[in-house]
Amino acid sequence: MDRTTQLTARPTARRAPHHEHGRAGTAVYDPVDPGDPLGPVDPLGSVRPAESLQARAARVLNGNWRGTSTVPSRSLYPHQWSWDSAFIAIGLRHLSPLRAQTELETLLGAQWGDGRIPHIVFNPSVPLDAYFPSPDFWRSSTAGRTAGAPGTVQTSGIVQPPVHALAVWLVHTADPGLSRSRSFLSRMYPRLAAWHRYLLHRRDLGGGGLASVVHPWEQGMDNAPSWDAPLSRVTPAPARSFRRADLDHGAAEDRPTDLDYGRYVRLAADYRDGGYADGGHADGGRAGGFAVEDPAFNALLIASEHALARIARELGATGTARHARAERLTTALVDRLWDPAAGMFLCRDVRTGEPIPERGVSGLVPLILPTLPRETAATLVRTLCGPHFGLGDTTRLVPSYDLTGHAFDPHRYWRGPAWFNTNWLVERGLRLHGETARAAELRGALLETADTSGFAEYVDPYSGEACGALGFSWTAALTLDLLHGTAPETAHGTADATRGTAEEFGVTGSLGLTGKFGEGALGGDLR
C-alpha cells in the first residue's frame, strides 16, 4: 500500500452505525481515532482479559469489514488495497471462507481490461478529501479508458505484488465444497490468468522475462532504500501541487523526505497522463526512467503461477504448462537478480541494467519458491541469520532493511522496521526448505509480537515496539493463519509440515492429469 500518502478522515465525515459493518453489499465510512484499533465503540463488545489471541484477531477483522471487503485500518486506509486483501483473505478463510471469497471477488471485480489488478479500489462512500491520492487524482475511468479501466468503480492505475492466485488457492482449500458450489475457482481463473499475462507481457520491460514495477508503491515496500538510485532521476512534483498529509499522523523523521514524496507524486501523475501505457524495455520502460525488477514481486508471481497450476488441475486441466513457466521464471530470477557476493537477491535497475546494491527483505522473499536451487536457499538462510538481518540473534523478526546499511532506521517506513506480511512469507519459505526449527521460532515471535503490539502495522525489529496504525488487518489475518497452521508441537522438523507447505505451492503429486478442459480453454496460455 502507498502508505506514504495517508490522509485521515475529517471529523465531519459520516459515521455509520456499527451494525452496518457486516451487512453484505454495504460500503460504509467509519473514521475513528487512529490510536485505537477498534475505536470508541467496539462492535463485538469490550475486550475480556481472558480473550484469546484468535478472538482478538477476529475482532480486528470484523471491525475492519465493510460489507464486501476489508479496509487495512479503519481510519488511515479507508479503501480496499490489492495485496492487503490477498493477505487478509488468507486469514479470513479461517473465520469465514465465504467472506474470504467475497474479499477476492470484490478486488478482482475491479480488474482492468488489459488484465491489471489496481492497487486501490475506492469506496464511493468515502469523501474525496479523506485520502490522497484520491479518485480524482488517478482519474481511472477517463485516463485509463484505453487500458480498459472499469467505468462502474474508481481505482488507482498502478498495481501491487501478485499474491492473488496463491490467496485464491488457499481460500479454496479452506472449504472446497463451498468453493465448488459457488464456482469460485472457475470464475477467478480467467481473471488471474489475464493478470499474469499482463505482468509477463506488458511489464517485461527489461526483456529478460521478469516483471518490472514502474512506481515504488507497486512493489509495496514504498520507502525502501532500493528505490533511492532510480528515483534520483525523477524530477519531483512541486511541493505546492499536493498536500503532504502524512506528516499529520507521524513524525517527519519516520516518513519519506519531501523530495522523495514529490517524486512519488510525479511518477504517478506522469503514468496517468500517459494513459497508463507501459513502455518497452529500450528506454527503461518509462519516460521518467523508473523501472525496476524486484525479487519479491517476481517471487510472488512465480508462487502464484504454481498456485494457478493447482487451480487449473482442480478445474480439469493438467497445469503442467504453468508449472513449467514457474520453473522458467525461477531460472530467470536466479540468472538476473541473484548476487552471490551479497548472499541474496538484489533489485535490478532496468534503465541502467545494473543491480541496486541495497540489501532488503525483498531479496529474502524468494525463499517461498519450491524449485529454488538448494545452495541458493541455504545461502539465503545464512544471510537471514547473519549480521545483515540478525534473525534469532539480534532481532526476533526480520527487519525490512539491512541492519548494517547506511539508510537503516528501525522506525522509518520500510527502512528497517519489521512487517508481518514479509515475515509470514519468510516463515513459509523456511518451512518449505526444511528449516522447521527456525520457522517455529519465527512463528512464535510473530504471534507474541502481534499480541503485545495490538496488531500493529509494523514494529521495531529489536524491541517489537508498535509503529504505524494499530488494529491492522493483515497483521490480524496472518496471525489467524499462523494459529491455524502447523501446530507448535509439530513444527520442529516433521516431514508432514514441509510437505504441507510444498503442496500449497503445487509441487507434489502427479503433474500429468488429463481432463475435459485444455489449458487454452481456461485462459492458461500467454497469447
Side-chain angles (χ1 to χ4, degrees):
M1 148 186 335
D2 54 324
R3 313 186 194 286
T4 58
T5 56
Q6 64 189 13
L7 179 63
T8 55
R10 297 291 185 269
T12 56
R14 170 183 174 268
R15 184 76 181 261
H18 284 286
H19 63 76
E20 291 185 17
H21 286 290
R23 185 183 303 158
T26 61
V28 300
Y29 180 50
D30 185 16
V32 294
D33 178 1
D36 185 342
L38 288 177
V41 180
D42 178 357
L44 297 183
S46 59
V47 181
R48 297 185 298 275
E51 192 173 31
S52 69
L53 180 60
Q54 175 172 315
R56 281 180 281 128
R59 290 176 65 252
V60 169
L61 291 176
N62 284 332
N64 292 348
W65 175 247
R66 290 296 177 267
T68 58
S69 65
T70 308
V71 296
S73 72
R74 289 170 62 183
S75 57
L76 299 184
Y77 310 118
H79 302 286
Q80 182 179 28
W81 265 261
S82 174
W83 76 326
D84 288 71
S85 277
F87 289 120
I88 290 165
I90 288 169
L92 274 178
R93 66 187 173 128
H94 302 296
L95 294 179
S96 169
L98 177 59
R99 202 163 100 187
Q101 291 180 27
T102 301
E103 182 84 36
L104 294 167
E105 289 164 352
T106 300
L107 177 67
L108 269 67
Q111 185 173 27
W112 290 28
D114 64 4
R116 82 182 74 194
I117 298 174
H119 96 298
I120 300 176
V121 180
F122 290 106
N123 180 343
S125 73
V126 174
L128 286 178
D129 65 352
Y131 187 84
F132 178 83
S134 53
D136 56 345
F137 173 89
W138 296 102
R139 306 172 202 161
S140 61
S141 60
T142 54
R145 184 181 295 115
T146 300
T152 56
V153 62
Q154 293 296 309
T155 75
S156 65
I158 59 176
V159 302
Q160 276 192 322
V163 67
H164 310 90
L166 176 60
V168 165
W169 175 249
L170 293 178
V171 167
H172 164 77
T173 64
D175 191 339
L178 175 69
S179 176
R180 292 172 187 135
S181 70
R182 300 185 69 249
S183 302
F184 176 62
L185 292 185
S186 62
R187 288 185 292 110
M188 294 295 100
Y189 186 96
R191 292 183 177 274
L192 294 168
W195 169 222
H196 287 205
R197 282 197 298 272
Y198 168 79
L199 293 174
L200 293 170
H201 277 180
R202 302 288 295 278
R203 287 300 190 88
D204 181 12
L205 303 180
L210 299 181
S212 294
V213 296
V214 299
H215 196 291
W217 295 341
E218 291 199 313
Q219 195 269 353
M221 304 178 193
D222 307 355
N223 194 36
S226 297
W227 317 132
D228 292 353
L231 271 178
S232 68
R233 296 190 296 265
V234 177
T235 301
R240 64 182 180 278
S241 66
F242 59 90
R243 178 176 177 249
R244 182 79 196 271
D246 60 312
L247 298 182
D248 294 344
H249 315 291
E253 60 267 22
D254 291 345
R255 310 298 305 175
T257 65
D258 289 341
L259 184 62
D260 283 342
Y261 200 94
R263 286 168 171 153
Y264 300 152
V265 174
R266 170 72 71 185
L267 276 175
D270 286 352
Y271 193 39
R272 173 201 67 202
D273 295 345
Y276 298 110
D278 297 304
H281 64 269
D283 65 348
R286 297 288 301 124
F290 189 97
V292 176
E293 293 173 350
D294 174 77
F297 192 99
N298 281 280
L300 289 169
L301 175 58
I302 295 165
S304 280
E305 272 292 306
H306 282 300
L308 209 51
R310 290 300 296 268
I311 295 171
R313 288 176 58 192
E314 175 69 18
L315 294 173
T318 65
T320 52
R322 291 208 173 273
H323 278 304
R325 183 174 301 121
E327 292 180 10
R328 290 196 300 271
L329 287 169
T330 301
T331 299
L333 181 72
V334 173
D335 288 346
R336 291 177 71 81
L337 303 186
W338 177 250
D339 189 303
M344 63 186 302
F345 291 89
L346 299 179
C347 293
R348 180 176 180 272
D349 188 336
V350 173
R351 179 73 175 263
T352 66
E354 297 297 322
I356 299 172
E358 300 286 358
R359 292 178 173 91
V361 68
S362 172
L364 301 172
V365 170
L367 269 174
I368 66 173
L369 300 180
T371 60
L372 200 65
R374 184 184 302 273
E375 181 53 35
T376 302
T379 302
L380 281 176
V381 173
R382 289 194 293 271
T383 300
L384 173 66
C385 301
H388 297 291
F389 295 92
L391 185 65
D393 183 13
T394 56
T395 63
R396 295 197 69 206
L397 299 183
V398 186
S400 52
Y401 178 63
D402 183 357
L403 299 172
T404 70
H406 68 98
F408 176 78
D409 185 322
H411 289 170
R412 192 184 285 269
Y413 268 39
W414 293 108
R415 290 180 175 250
W419 295 73
F420 286 83
N421 64 330
T422 52
N423 274 265
W424 179 85
L425 290 166
V426 170
E427 190 272 345
R428 290 175 67 86
L430 288 170
R431 278 194 288 130
L432 181 65
H433 291 283
E435 295 284 346
T436 50
R438 285 192 172 97
E441 185 176 357
L442 178 55
R443 175 184 179 273
L446 279 165
L447 292 175
E448 180 182 341
T449 305
D451 189 11
T452 58
S453 72
F455 304 100
E457 182 180 1
Y458 60 99
V459 299
D460 182 306
Y462 295 117
S463 67
E465 176 189 349
C467 302
L470 301 182
F472 202 70
S473 288
W474 77 24
T475 303
L478 298 178
T479 295
L480 286 173
D481 194 62
L482 290 169
L483 287 170
H484 285 79
T486 306
E489 61 271 17
T490 62
H492 291 275
T494 67
D496 286 344
T498 301
R499 180 160 58 249
T501 306
E503 286 173 351
E504 289 173 349
F505 285 104
V507 294
T508 60
S510 170
L511 298 181
L513 297 177
T514 57
K516 59 184 179 181
F517 299 118
E519 287 273 295
L522 293 173
D525 60 4
L526 284 174
R527 291 173 294 180

